[in-house]
């Protein structure tokens, strides 16, 4: 069904549909390469990168994560190719894009004939452990040593943790290097961890893609409380690493995963969902903060780790090592980064693909004649703030615009990320774009899809 924006009654349309559906600036120092290698990778869950102090966040304090940035390298342009948990984690562990590792939608299983970091580093003599959230299958593809410590259930109302098992894993064999993935469930919904009473909703600075009303502010304060809890978790893990005596011998990686479960974040191809916090500290880095604007994707993390450990990088990976960036030897990594979203089982079919460079992003909505529907936001989310957006859309043009932006999307969206980082002005709709650029980006995206074996909307079916 074709829908013309100028003739739509937003409130009525959304109600009917729900009923029917149920810092750059410092150069990276050139660092000396070393061979004494442990690896600690800490993965958050649905973290908005822009809320961290080291990324300019003003709403809360995140001193432990900020300290890592003070001693490491902060990536301004790390991207998740899919903004949902299972595909993102599969990409981190395998170095493959979704079509190649098989997790093209949330909660899908990986192709059984592929390998992950647990295979590659075990073969190189590492102990490879994981504590906390898994969200992967089958076990044969991800044969991690499971370490006691962190909550594995991302929708638990609690996120109790202990570092005893982590410390034991780090110290159990001093003659064998370790790689440990610490996978927190914060700040994933239900936003029941932490103390939101320490945050005044009325004083928050909301992202411009969120409707500023009391319901949204209350939900956002709960979300921020979980980020504060996340920062404490990270600090305790670093303390355990220091207690183990291995801090000075360990590469530390902090990953934000994808963006938050707010409209325009998770389950989209907008930057609020795709862009991620990523901070890496090498053992011999100095205390001067370094940032980089190179384009990287989570698929690049595995080959970088293998490269760092002097391991063999297997042929056929989609990711490319950015170790030369960490050592200050290169200032360019990727020309393009890509995105893929398939909406099932999180809602009705709605396939999206994206491509971006350092300045522009092109989003291709493969089902523009349909309305976008996501089951958590529009039905299962206990916070229910989305309904306040629909309510306010009847009389408030800002609310109407944000609701329409989320559920009604054109075939093509082009954004100037440098001048419009929140992607609020579609240059194509505004009539202010370069057709040659659009054709070039779309052609490159279609080529990538062909290389991946991605047939588009045919992938996103019941």
């Amino acid at each position: 069904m074709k829908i013309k924006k100028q003739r739509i009654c937003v409130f009525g349309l959304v109600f009917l549909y729900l009923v029917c559906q149920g810092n750059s600036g410092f150069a990276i120092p050139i660092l000396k390469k070393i061979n004494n290698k442990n690896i600690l990778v800490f993965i958050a869950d649905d973290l908005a990168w822009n809320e961290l102090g080291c990324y300019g966040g003003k709403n809360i304090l995140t001193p432990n994560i900020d300290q890592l940035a003070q001693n490491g390298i902060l990536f301004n342009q790390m991207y998740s190719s899919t903004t949902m948990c299972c595909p993102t984690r599969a990409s981190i562990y395998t170095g493959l894009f979704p079509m190649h590792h098989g997790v093209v939608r949330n909660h899908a299983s990986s192709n059984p004939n592929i390998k992950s970091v647990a295979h590659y580093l075990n073969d190189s003599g590492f102990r490879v452990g994981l504590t906390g959230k898994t969200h992967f299958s089958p076990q044969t593809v991800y044969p991690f040593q499971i370490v006691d410590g962190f909550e594995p259930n991302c929708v638990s109302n609690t996120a109790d943790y202990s570092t005893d098992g982590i410390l034991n894993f780090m110290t159990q064999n001093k003659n064998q290097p370790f790689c440990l993935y610490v996978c927190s469930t914060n700040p994933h919904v239900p936003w029941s961890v932490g103390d939101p009473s320490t945050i005044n909703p009325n004083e928050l600075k909301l992202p411009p893609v969120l409707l500023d009303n009391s319901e949204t502010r209350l939900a956002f304060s709960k979300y921020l409380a979980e980020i504060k809890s996340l920062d404490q978790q990270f600090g305790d893990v670093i303390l355990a690493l220091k207690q183990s005596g291995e801090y000075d011998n360990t590469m530390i990686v902090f990953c934000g995963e994808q963006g938050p479960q707010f409209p325009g974040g998770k389950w989209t191809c907008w930057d609020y969902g795709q862009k991620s916090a990523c901070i890496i500290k090498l053992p011999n880095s100095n205390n001067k903060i370094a940032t980089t604007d190179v384009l990287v994707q989570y698929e690049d993390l595995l080959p970088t780790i293998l490269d760092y450990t002097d391991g063999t990088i297997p042929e056929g990976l989609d990711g490319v090592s950015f170790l030369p960036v960490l050592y200050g030897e290169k200032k360019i990594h990727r020309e393009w980064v890509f995105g893929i979203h398939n909406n099932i089982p999180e809602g009705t079919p709605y396939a999206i693909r994206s491509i971006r460079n350092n300045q522009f992003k092109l989003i291709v909505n493969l089902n523009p004649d349909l309305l976008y529907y996501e089951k958590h936001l529009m039905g299962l989310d206990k916070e229910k703030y989305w309904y306040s957006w629909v309510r306010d859309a009847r009389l408030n043009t800002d609310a109407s615009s944000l609701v329409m932006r989320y559920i009604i999307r054109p075939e093509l969206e082009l954004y100037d990320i440098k001048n419009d980082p929140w992607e609020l002005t579609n240059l194509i709709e505004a009539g202010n774009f370069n057709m040659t650029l659009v054709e070039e980006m779309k052609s490159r995206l279609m080529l990538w899809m062909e290389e991946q074996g991605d047939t588009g909307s045919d992938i996103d079916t019941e």
Side-chain angles (χ1 to χ4, degrees):
M1 125 184 104
K2 292 275 187 185
I3 297 178
K4 296 183 179 179
K5 293 185 180 179
Q6 60 268 36
R7 297 184 180 179
I8 192 167
C9 171
V10 174
F11 178 77
L13 173 62
V14 176
F15 178 79
L16 176 62
Y17 187 64
L18 293 176
V19 170
C20 293
Q21 295 295 337
N23 296 327
S24 63
F26 291 101
I28 295 176
I30 296 179
L31 303 175
K32 181 182 177 182
K33 300 181 183 180
I34 61 172
N35 294 313
N36 193 3
K37 309 174 192 299
N38 299 308
I39 301 161
L40 172 66
V41 182
F42 189 103
I43 305 177
D45 198 348
D46 293 359
L47 175 64
W49 57 274
N50 59 299
E51 297 302 334
L52 301 179
C54 53
Y55 279 95
K58 303 297 184 184
N59 286 320
I60 56 173
L61 299 177
T62 52
N64 296 300
I65 300 171
D66 295 350
Q67 184 61 52
L68 182 69
Q70 288 289 334
N71 298 324
I73 300 169
L74 183 148
F75 284 78
N76 287 317
Q77 298 202 92
M78 168 65 84
Y79 294 95
S80 175
S81 57
T82 43
T83 57
M84 45 191 150
C85 301
C86 291
T88 297
R89 288 163 192 267
S91 291
I92 289 173
Y93 300 140
T94 68
L96 299 172
F97 282 126
M99 289 300 301
H100 284 165
H101 60 57
V103 190
V104 297
R105 59 183 67 181
N106 220 9
H107 306 295
S109 295
S110 298
N111 294 328
N113 59 339
I114 63 173
K115 293 183 177 181
S116 70
V117 62
H119 294 101
Y120 300 130
L121 288 186
N122 274 326
D123 290 346
S124 297
F126 280 73
R127 293 177 292 115
V128 187
L130 183 146
T131 184
K133 180 173 178 174
T134 53
H135 253 47
F136 53 67
S137 65
Q139 193 69 30
T140 53
V141 175
Y142 305 99
F144 291 101
Q145 176 184 336
I146 300 301
V147 177
D148 290 335
F150 272 57
E151 171 63 57
N153 179 12
C154 65
V155 293
S156 172
N157 286 318
T158 61
D160 298 335
Y161 67 98
S162 167
T163 59
D164 293 344
I166 292 171
L167 182 59
N168 180 63
F169 176 82
M170 292 174 175
T171 58
Q172 65 186 232
N173 188 344
K174 288 289 188 177
N175 295 320
Q176 186 181 22
F178 66 80
C179 176
L180 177 63
Y181 288 81
V182 179
C183 303
S184 175
T185 57
N186 289 344
H188 193 286
V189 294
W191 303 333
S192 54
V193 174
D195 185 5
S197 69
T198 63
I199 301 171
N200 185 344
N202 296 323
E203 295 179 353
L204 298 179
K205 181 177 176 58
L206 295 181
V209 292
L210 301 187
L211 179 64
D212 190 350
N213 66 15
S214 59
E215 290 91 342
T216 307
R217 284 180 169 273
L218 180 60
F220 205 74
S221 67
K222 296 178 182 179
Y223 175 71
L224 292 173
E226 291 224 348
I227 297 180
K228 292 178 67 175
S229 179
L230 172 81
D231 183 73
Q232 185 60 57
Q233 289 179 334
F234 180 72
D236 288 339
V237 170
I238 295 301
L239 179 60
L241 178 61
K242 292 179 177 179
Q243 291 171 341
S244 75
E246 296 297 327
Y247 178 81
D248 292 331
N249 303 322
T250 302
M251 174 188 188
I252 303 171
V253 181
F254 178 88
C255 299
E257 203 198 37
Q258 68 271 326
Q261 190 170 303
F262 282 100
K266 191 175 181 179
W267 298 311
T268 76
C269 282
W270 288 313
D271 264 18
Y272 196 37
Q274 287 184 323
K275 191 172 181 178
S276 176
C278 180
I279 307 165
I280 299 179
K281 178 190 174 298
L282 297 177
N284 59 338
S285 60
N286 59 24
N287 290 326
K288 182 179 179 181
I289 187 172
T291 65
T292 177
D293 290 324
V294 298
L295 290 169
V296 286
Q297 296 201 244
Y298 273 134
E299 287 78 9
D300 299 330
L301 188 56
L302 170 63
T304 302
I305 288 174
L306 296 180
D307 198 5
Y308 174 75
T309 62
D310 298 330
T312 300
I313 301 177
E315 295 183 1
L317 295 187
D318 293 311
V320 180
S321 171
F322 55 83
L323 190 64
V325 174
L326 295 179
Y327 286 135
E329 299 169 350
K330 287 181 63 177
K331 295 182 179 180
I332 298 175
H333 184 61
R334 285 183 177 270
E335 180 183 6
W336 304 104
V337 294
F338 302 95
I340 173 174
H341 175 75
N342 296 309
N343 209 38
I344 294 174
E346 308 305 339
T348 51
Y350 202 98
I352 312 170
R353 304 294 184 263
S354 69
I355 180 173
R356 66 160 295 165
N357 58 20
N358 270 306
Q359 180 163 0
F360 294 98
K361 174 187 280 187
L362 180 70
I363 297 176
V364 181
N365 296 301
L366 299 175
N367 305 103
D369 292 344
L370 302 177
L371 297 176
Y372 178 82
Y373 172 85
E374 196 285 306
K375 66 183 181 182
H376 297 90
L377 180 65
M378 299 180 177
L380 300 180
D381 190 341
K382 72 175 185 178
E383 298 298 335
K384 305 299 183 186
Y385 60 86
W386 170 256
Y387 295 97
S388 73
W389 291 32
V390 176
R391 177 201 66 210
D392 292 353
R394 290 177 293 177
L395 301 174
N396 183 310
T397 56
D398 289 340
S400 174
S401 176
L402 288 171
V403 168
M404 287 177 57
R405 174 180 186 263
Y406 194 64
I407 68 170
I408 306 170
R409 307 186 191 181
E411 179 183 0
L412 299 177
E413 302 173 56
L414 179 68
Y415 300 103
D416 181 343
I417 303 297
K418 286 189 175 181
N419 295 302
D420 178 25
W422 289 100
E423 298 161 304
L424 296 174
T425 301
N426 180 0
L427 297 178
I428 293 177
E429 289 190 334
N432 181 22
F433 67 99
N434 183 323
M435 180 57 73
T436 301
L437 173 67
V438 172
E439 292 175 349
E440 177 191 0
M441 295 181 73
K442 187 174 182 181
S443 176
R444 186 62 188 87
L445 176 61
M446 296 303 124
L447 176 61
W448 177 75
M449 291 174 63
E450 183 179 346
E451 294 168 347
Q452 293 290 308
D454 181 1
T455 56
S457 57
D458 291 344
I459 304 296
D460 195 20
T461 57
E462 298 285 356

